Amino acid sequence: MTKIAVAKGDGIGPEIMDAVLNIFRAAEVPLEYEFVDMGKWVFDKGYSNGMTPEAQRSIETLGILFKGPMETPKGKGVKSVNVTARKTWNTYANKRVFQTLHGVDTVFSKAGIPVDITVVRENIEDTYGGIEHMLTHDVALSRRFITRPGSLQVIKYAFEMAKKKGARRITCGHKANIMKITDGLFLDVFNEVAKEYPELKADDVIVDDLCMKLVTRPDLFDVVVLTNLQGDIVSDLCAGLVGGLGFAPSANIGDHICIFEAVHGTAPDIAGKNVANPTALLLSGIGMLRHLGLMKGAALIENALLYTLEQGVHTGDFGDKTKASVNTTAFAEAVIGNFGKTPGLGAKPMLPDMPTTQTHFKLEKNPMLESVEMENEKIVGVDFFIESNEQPITIANKCMRHAGVKFKLVNISNRGTQVWPTGSVYTNLVNQYNVRFESIDDFPLNQQDVLGLYVSMSGNFKICSSELLLMWGDKKAYSLAQGQ
Ligand code: NAI
């Protein structure tokens, strides 16, 4: 018997979780449940991370959390319990499976185009670090972290999963044509890992093109791996391809703790009425059973669910409106009543997923801190992000006075577009510039040189932020301004 932690959550959470657990019990899946206190209601009791210390301990001991949706009030500075959980336990890969379900009509199902796409989204990094500052009253800056070890973790998971599933194709979605350093790093790691899996067809598609292709020929895609924000958007797009959020399961995969949940939220508009659709949570639960190696129970329940949907049984949010809908409890009972039935023509075969052994232990050392030794790293300059409402030429004249004997002013940009030494009078300016200094004649610089310039510049300007310009060998570790 495997023991897992279960958090029912807020809103419709308890209703749909009870429905799913009833199905599990009826199928006699060998699971034991430890119910833990987690959600907005726990936050309201004074637990700032939305869970009790006992809940956290249980989840960390058991390694598996099956959770209902949890409410995040808008504004008010309340952090999402869902995001806190994903970050706290480093569930670095968000896996969402989107497949055609018979009985759930979509434009593609009507056209006979099958959809079976697995989106793997990086779950920790990117703009989701939420590291944001107002540089001036007019200018906000978000820091976007993409790291090599973070990208490696999620991309390796995606390839391994694609291999086990016998995927036709694995695609990296990205915007490396614009974000050459951040998305460029993610794409480089994808290409490096791809070499270890020559049996898989690996390719990359720019994310805007990917969206267009997904809505025109979704059947051409199988596994798609993306950075966090792009993955967030693309996975909701894919949910739309198969009938909406009511049919979108999600697994947050980490090396030690995994969280299984539906993609949708707490649906406050229908909470407490026993009318919510439990399908997405049930599909997440089926994914969890496969993850735990409980293939028999997973197949029994999935076949019964697909059969039930094919029969036209539906809750109020989907299906044939000319047929009466059933409530949450009755939907679960219909699935239980269909145990042993198999879905008809075109039903998805019950392929085993990626069974993993449960590993849960405290990290003694953080493996992600071990990184490649930087070879031939040198400081070649500095970017100062300054506040100013003066014209570029005036700023340039002031900056040049500070350059001294080690630095030269190379260029000035505004919102990423070069405005000095050359530029266009048509470029709109905001009150925050990036002034770039580089060393004269490749003079070797150190941090003290940069700090000296910082102190000198600060006599004339408010410096909002700064970045070192580094080179590794002959490779620049920074981007050029548009037009530079
Ligand atoms: P929502 O997904 O809760 O609801 C959007 C619409 O879909 C509503 O009309 C709702 O009735 C319907 N809906 C959602 N799930 C349904 C189901 N199973 N059956 C039938 N209809 C369903 O999104 P919303 O309203 O933006 O968010 C409500 C709350 O949920 C917020 O506090 C939000 O932060 C939280 N949330 C939590 C998530 C999680 O726990 N992972 C994910 C998304 C939102």
Side-chain angles (χ1 to χ4, degrees):
M1 217 45 147
T2 307
K3 199 170 185 188
I4 64 165
V6 176
K8 292 189 176 182
D10 304 304
I12 58 169
E15 300 158 50
I16 55 174
M17 185 59 85
D18 286 343
V20 170
L21 295 185
N22 283 343
I23 296 171
F24 279 12
R25 288 191 191 102
E28 295 177 359
V29 293
L31 283 180
E32 225 181 293
Y33 311 108
E34 184 160 321
F35 293 95
V36 298
D37 295 342
M38 200 177 165
K40 164 74 167 39
W41 65 277
V42 181
F43 178 88
D44 289 342
K45 283 185 167 176
Y47 296 97
S48 62
N49 61 354
M51 64 185 106
T52 58
E54 295 78 32
Q56 179 160 357
R57 228 177 356 258
S58 294
I59 295 161
E60 289 177 0
T61 310
L62 298 171
I64 297 283
L65 171 63
F66 189 30
K67 71 177 272 298
M70 294 174 187
E71 183 189 333
T72 311
K74 292 193 182 76
K76 298 185 199 165
V78 180
K79 288 257 185 195
S80 159
V81 183
N82 307 300
V83 177
T84 304
R86 290 173 209 153
K87 289 192 166 192
T88 307
W89 296 311
N90 195 43
T91 58
Y92 51 78
N94 181 250
K95 176 190 171 199
R96 297 184 187 175
V97 179
F98 305 99
Q99 64 191 66
T100 303
L101 296 165
H102 297 265
V104 183
D105 277 348
T106 66
V107 280
F108 298 103
S109 67
K110 284 179 183 158
I113 300 173
V115 179
D116 185 0
I117 300 170
T118 304
V119 175
V120 179
R121 158 191 171 195
E122 197 285 319
N123 219 11
I124 308 280
E125 305 189 338
D126 201 340
T127 44
Y128 285 65
I131 304 166
E132 302 195 319
H133 298 89
M134 291 300 296
L135 294 192
T136 75
H137 275 91
D138 288 350
V139 178
L141 174 79
S142 166
R143 297 214 158 212
R144 176 172 195 251
F145 280 99
I146 302 291
T147 73
R148 181 176 289 282
S151 303
L152 196 60
Q153 263 187 334
V154 67
I155 290 170
K156 274 211 161 224
Y157 169 78
F159 270 91
E160 205 50 36
M161 190 267 298
K163 183 178 158 183
K164 294 222 165 91
K165 144 182 206 299
R168 288 169 285 130
R169 177 183 183 187
I170 175 164
T171 306
C172 176
H174 63 86
K175 196 74 188 170
N177 53 331
I178 303 295
M179 294 178 280
K180 293 182 197 301
I181 304 261
T182 47
D183 271 26
L185 175 59
F186 192 78
L187 181 58
D188 280 351
V189 173
F190 177 86
N191 288 328
E192 283 162 25
V193 175
K195 289 193 193 123
E196 296 167 27
Y197 297 83
E199 68 279 27
L200 285 173
K201 180 177 181 298
D203 61 0
D204 69 280
V205 181
I206 290 171
V207 69
D208 37 341
D209 189 25
L210 177 67
C211 290
M212 196 267 290
K213 290 191 164 113
L214 280 167
V215 296
T216 47
R217 289 297 305 275
D219 52 322
L220 297 182
F221 293 90
D222 194 335
V223 175
V224 183
V225 58
L226 304 111
T227 52
N228 203 342
L229 177 60
Q230 293 167 32
D232 193 3
I233 297 164
V234 168
S235 44
D236 272 24
L237 181 150
C238 290
L241 301 178
V242 296
L245 291 183
F247 303 94
S250 154
N252 297 287
I253 307 286
D255 286 338
H256 313 292
I257 293 169
C258 296
I259 305 170
F260 295 83
E261 61 181 339
V263 171
H264 63 71
T266 59
D269 49 333
I270 55 167
K273 296 181 181 159
N274 194 30
V275 295
N277 178 3
T279 307
L281 188 65
L282 183 56
L283 287 168
S284 311
I286 292 167
M288 176 179 73
L289 297 183
R290 292 215 164 89
H291 180 88
L292 293 169
L294 303 174
M295 302 302 178
K296 204 168 131 239
L300 176 75
I301 297 168
E302 188 167 20
N303 275 320
L305 170 66
L306 295 177
Y307 183 87
T308 307
L309 293 171
E310 266 181 14
Q311 296 302 303
V313 179
H314 66 98
T315 46
D317 56 310
F318 76 103
D320 185 350
K321 298 285 174 214
T322 62
K323 278 189 175 175
S325 60
V326 298
N327 67 21
T328 313
T329 318
F331 186 88
E333 279 162 5
V335 174
I336 294 168
N338 287 329
F339 280 168
K341 305 252 173 58
T342 40
L345 199 66
K348 197 176 175 286
M350 297 302 122
L351 286 174
D353 198 2
M354 196 174 154
T356 45
T357 24
Q358 237 176 315
T359 52
H360 41 84
F361 51 85
K362 290 251 184 280
L363 285 176
E364 265 144 33
K365 59 175 189 163
N366 190 334
M368 291 177 69
L369 280 178
E370 288 166 17
S371 77
V372 189
E373 190 92 351
M374 281 309 151
E375 277 172 33
N376 302 326
E377 178 172 288
K378 61 179 181 200
I379 301 171
V380 294
V382 59
D383 277 345
F384 288 130
F385 297 82
I386 60 161
E387 178 170 348
S388 174
N389 52 17
E390 294 176 305
Q391 285 301 307
I393 181 70
T394 316
I395 296 171
N397 287 335
K398 286 186 188 171
C399 286
M400 281 188 282
R401 288 205 293 273
H402 295 287
V405 292
K406 290 186 178 172
F407 291 93
K408 60 176 186 275
L409 179 68
V410 177
N411 84 322
I412 300 177
S413 58
N414 195 291
R415 292 190 290 171
T417 303
Q418 178 170 294
V419 292
W420 184 93
T422 55
S424 163
V425 288
Y426 294 107
T427 303
N428 266 338
L429 302 173
V430 298
N431 67 355
Q432 195 270 311
Y433 291 86
N434 176 15
V435 297
R436 174 165 288 182
F437 290 93
E438 285 178 7
S439 74
I440 292 170
D441 298 333
D442 281 339
F443 189 88
L445 294 170
N446 57 34
Q447 289 203 80
Q448 283 83 349
D449 296 323
V450 171
L451 284 173
L453 181 61
Y454 191 112
V455 171
S456 173
M457 281 281 289
S458 65
N460 247 321
F461 300 102
K462 182 178 113 193
I463 301 171
C464 314
S465 174
S466 69
E467 296 290 345
L468 292 176
L469 301 182
L470 300 174
M471 284 195 73
W472 299 321
D474 54 7
K475 189 174 169 217
K476 285 185 167 67
Y478 53 93
S479 62
L480 299 179
Q482 199 75 42
Q484 190 181 349

